[in-house]
Amino acid sequence: MATGYLYHEVFGWHDTGSSAGLFVSDPAAGVQPFVHFENAETKRRMHELIVISGLIDRLERIRPRHASEEEILRVHTREHLERIKAESRLPKGGDAGDGISPFGKGAYEIATLAAGGVITLVDAVVRGNVTNGYVLVRPPGHHAVAGNGMGLCIFGNLAIAVKHAREVLGVGRIAVLDWDVHHGNGTQSAFYDDPTVLTISLHQDNCFPPNSGGVGERGEGPGFGYALNVPLPPGTGDGGYLYAMSEVVVPALRRFRPELILVASGFDAGAMDPLGRQMVTSEGYRTMTRQLMDVADEVCDGRIVIAHEGGYNPIHVPYCGLAVVETLAGAEPFGDPLLPIMAGQGGGVLLPHQKSVVDQVAAFVADISVVTDVSA
Ligand code: 3YP
Ligand code: ZN
């Protein structure tokens, strides 16, 4: 069966302005205007590589729709939605909520298309039109919490899609794996007390948000045990990430037996990312995708929806993304010219301090069981 692919040109029109990478430019204070790290190019170039490589011909192109207010409100407060909508009408736009997440005029409609895009692909996978798929959306979503956007995220795209899968499509157990280099705090917080949604975040220890995503964050109340966090030390590459996949992610998914697997896919754990200090290569992302597909074949007929999050190197991100989508579609590698450079840098080896973090979290996997009461 087919692999779905969703991208829309208007995602490239989400305007994050002339920040100096992350900070509001301020000439009087000596901060020269530049382009925000979260700009269109990483995603646009990934899409164009998917076209130029020919992979596009093997994908089922899916058109997004906007998420409705009702769908957004399953995760966010009315106040947050209305504030974003109002600031989105201003000539110069506004900010998602933390002062470092600027957006231009009209961002509300683009953000609802991003959330609606993930919903659209979830619909296609759950209804059986495609086996799996990739949603190349912008703005990202995994940091947004109920009452606020943050970390460049306006609405929780994946969390909104999880609620849709549960409440509209009737999907029981759902797992969300987050391999963005930053902690998936927003997705985690939406389901922290819910044992029917397993959230797993692999991220760089204490990268962003501050003091978020430690091994001790395991869920609360009935959801205790159904949040897993693997805060990998800076410098972790394919060796550590693949070990975390095989020792934590795969066994956790085998125990939990989700009916649907979603992935928050950031390529900012890549070896040349300006915001992360990890060393994952496109081959690392390819293998992580393969490992996930193998366990998905075992537990949920291969149903995987991967949605784009961070990733800020415009040269490397397209090759990482291509590797993931090729793998989903069962296509041969087109090639990545950066691989020979990265291969000699040492990230392929699992180091003891990385192993000890993974082993600590691996011990929590035994506490997961197949939750059958999804009405709670
Ligand atoms: C937001 C402010 C500092 C780091 C940045 C993280 C954005 C991101 O890629 N989140 O996944
Ligand atoms: Zn990130």
Side-chain angles (χ1 to χ4, degrees):
M1 229 184 7
T3 290
Y5 174 66
L6 187 150
Y7 175 73
H8 194 289
E9 285 68 18
V10 85
F11 294 141
W13 294 15
H14 171 52
D15 184 4
T16 48
S18 57
S19 289
L22 279 178
F23 308 104
V24 177
S25 58
D26 186 351
V31 182
Q32 184 178 0
F34 194 53
V35 287
H36 201 288
F37 279 125
E38 202 296 290
N39 60 66
E41 288 308 321
T42 43
K43 294 85 187 172
R44 198 182 272 150
R45 289 170 62 98
M46 175 174 155
H47 170 70
E48 294 194 6
L49 188 60
I50 285 170
V51 173
I52 297 295
S53 66
L55 179 62
I56 193 80
D57 299 330
R58 311 218 5 199
L59 304 172
E60 172 112 3
R61 190 77 188 262
I62 293 175
R63 308 263 68 176
R65 66 166 173 85
H66 292 274
S68 67
E69 287 198 7
E70 185 191 351
E71 289 168 335
I72 304 283
L73 292 172
R74 290 191 185 120
V75 168
H76 295 287
T77 61
R78 165 67 67 183
E79 292 68 32
H80 176 53
L81 184 150
E82 294 298 341
R83 185 183 66 77
I84 298 295
K85 205 198 275 187
E87 289 188 13
S88 172
R89 291 196 192 105
L90 300 173
K92 293 200 164 128
D95 188 279
D98 58 2
I100 54 168
S101 304
F103 59 75
K105 190 174 201 297
Y108 176 77
E109 284 73 20
I110 304 176
T112 58
L113 198 68
V118 186
I119 289 175
T120 308
L121 195 49
V122 164
D123 272 333
V125 166
V126 172
R127 297 198 169 118
N129 302 334
V130 294
T131 305
N132 57 31
Y134 198 95
V135 209
L136 181 45
V137 289
R138 190 168 167 260
H142 71 152
H143 295 311
V145 296
N148 237 18
M150 61 182 285
L152 324 177
C153 302
I154 298 177
F155 298 129
N157 304 329
L158 275 165
I160 291 166
V162 168
K163 292 278 190 186
H164 173 81
R166 164 63 41 74
E167 293 181 24
V168 178
L169 303 174
V171 180
R173 289 175 306 279
I174 300 165
V176 184
L177 168 64
D178 190 318
W179 65 42
D180 187 284
V181 81
H182 304 101
H183 178 222
N185 64 294
T187 322
Q188 174 178 289
S189 72
F191 306 104
Y192 208 51
D193 62 358
D194 184 345
T196 70
V197 179
L198 172 68
T199 62
I200 311 174
S201 183
L202 312 181
H203 46 268
Q204 182 182 319
D205 186 23
N206 223 354
C207 189
F208 184 85
N211 304 312
S212 187
V215 293
E217 292 181 21
R218 299 185 57 192
E220 68 189 7
F224 182 78
Y226 295 86
L228 292 173
N229 282 290
V230 188
L232 296 160
T236 304
D238 294 356
Y241 273 82
L242 297 181
Y243 185 70
M245 287 294 296
S246 64
E247 300 303 308
V248 173
V249 177
V250 170
L253 294 173
R254 283 205 178 112
R255 284 194 69 88
F256 185 68
R257 301 196 74 78
E259 293 156 47
L260 173 67
I261 298 171
L262 305 190
V263 180
S265 173
F267 297 119
D268 40 14
M272 289 184 178
D273 194 89
L275 292 182
R277 290 293 172 271
Q278 304 300 52
M279 302 180 72
V280 180
T281 70
S282 60
E283 280 307 304
Y285 283 109
R286 186 187 307 279
T287 307
M288 289 198 277
T289 307
R290 185 69 255 164
Q291 288 173 305
L292 199 64
M293 288 170 73
D294 288 344
V295 65
D297 283 343
E298 271 176 50
V299 302
C300 61
D301 295 321
R303 284 196 284 270
I304 302 175
V305 170
I306 308 189
H308 203 84
E309 295 283 350
Y312 306 100
N313 183 318
I315 315 296
H316 194 211
V317 164
Y319 292 104
C320 295
L322 183 69
V324 169
V325 184
E326 282 171 341
T327 309
L328 285 178
E332 291 306 310
F334 175 75
D336 170 359
L338 289 165
L339 271 177
I341 298 168
M342 294 178 178
Q345 295 179 338
V349 180
L350 172 71
L351 298 176
H353 67 305
Q354 301 161 355
K355 181 176 187 297
S356 75
V357 176
V358 175
D359 289 346
Q360 210 181 324
V361 185
F364 299 156
V365 169
D367 297 334
I368 296 172
S369 56
V370 180
V371 182
T372 47
D373 179 14
V374 298
S375 60

